[in-house]
Amino acid sequence: MEWYSILPPIIAIVVVFWRKEVILALILAIFSAEALLAYRRGSEFLFNGIIGSIERVIEIASSAGNARILIFSMLIGALLAYIRNSGGVTATVEMLINKGVAKSKRQVGLLTMFTGIVVFIESNLSVLASGILSRGLYDKFKMSRARLAYVIDSTSAPICILILLNGWGAFVLGLLSNYELEESAVSILWGTIPFNFYAIIALLIVTYTIVTDKVHGPMREAEREMQQNNDVSLPIPASKARFMLVPLCTMIFGMVGFMFWTGNGDIAAGSGSKSVLYATVLACMVAYFLLISAKKYSHKELVDEGFKGMGEILPLVTIVLFSLTLGGSLKELGTGIFVANLVGDYLPLSLIVPVLFLAGGIMSFTTGTSWGTFAILIPIGVPLIQTLGLPPSLVLAAILGGGVFGDHCSPISDTTAVSSIASGCDLLTHVRTQMPYALFGGALAFIGYFIASLIML
């Protein structure tokens, strides 16, 4: 693949950090990718770049899976508006504090992390459940939304890639099943758990942050700003905790139920995009009927509140749409394959696994998708296992860990945007404050794969 296929994500990342405007960065990256595709076809690149960008957005939005993600993101805005304006958030915060479940910063952080771990079925659901539950608690204890975004983002994907009894595991298993290996695909996949160094390190760093109540780098600035803010009162008077907890539990258990249903009884085969959409719709309906039956709002008022909530979240939903669009353009341009080929054919044996991890991180960072990284790198890694006799679980773990690592650093990742939505944190603030933690964990993981390669090869 041509070297210029790496230009669009570089443009996006440079503009993000230079102009601090994510939507502009994504638009320019999409246009540049489509212009390069037009140039490759020998057509006029300026005009066709603009037309191609428009058509790419339409193509992405018309995909059933992507449409579900966008609709569910919008509905989350309505759900958040319902539970916030009902007084349910304030009531839940007071209830948890009074019961001693969340009476300190440490307990609040552990509750957030525990929620993310328990809801391991789907990463977006894990982020949303723990983010929605903990927003008010973080405000009450003067902890920044940036810290909340970091905790939920750095808990959800690592726990999903470690437990694997979910769509992540099914997806990777499907990719592995195309190859004949000495071990079964299932045993190789389960064998990745102790070798998934980045996921394990990320969870350990989150635990350290919660237990010690220490933050570093840009996160410290965000915490300092929060500490200087004297207005920590929750704006909506307390009503009933059920106005928050019942819709939230409906979303969580509904997600599990729909995963079983869409997978015909096999939760690992269920559709994550369908299940999270159905569960969110169900949670919105439950919140609506709870508020109607309590006579807190009229039907017209609830409709207005729902649309106001969607309006508040529209900029982030736009970022999700453009992130998905850029991913589609980069896939056709061949950016992922170009980055994967950087691994090369002449590396020393002990460097192959660490470089696969690094390639996965770069690919996921530049394309904004960990699953796309898995789909490209696994077909490259498995032949290396077959021809060079590399440990299958170690190679696969490096690819999976690299995908999650790059996703945690990427400002154009849809998962990063969803974490910002769930926590109520500015997207760029989340990226800026989480990146030092992710880079530190990635560096340790790279060293870990180098040492493991020296020992095992």
Side-chain angles (χ1 to χ4, degrees), residues 1 4 7 10 14 66 74 101-102 114 131-132 157 205 230 232 274 276 294 312 339 349-350 359 391:
M1 288 294 164
Y4 56 72
L7 289 177
I10 290 176
V14 168
N66 293 334
M74 292 290 288
V101 177
F114 176 76
I132 292 170
I205 296 174
N230 295 320
V232 295
K274 287 182 180 179
V276 76
E312 291 172 5
V339 174
L349 209 58
S350 60

Side-chain angles (χ1 to χ4, degrees), residues 400-414:
L400 300 182
V404 174
F405 163 56
D407 206 49
H408 275 168
C409 296
S410 179
I412 59 174
S413 164
D414 57 303

Side-chain angles (χ1 to χ4, degrees), residues 80-103:
L80 288 172
Y82 286 160
I83 65 175
R84 178 187 65 217
N85 296 334
S86 67
V89 174
T90 312
T92 302
V93 169
E94 291 182 357
M95 182 193 73
L96 291 173
I97 292 173
N98 292 335
K99 290 185 177 294
V101 177
K103 60 183 180 182

Side-chain angles (χ1 to χ4, degrees), residues 168-179:
W168 293 59
F171 176 71
V172 176
L173 199 60
L175 293 173
L176 278 180
S177 299
N178 296 322
Y179 302 93

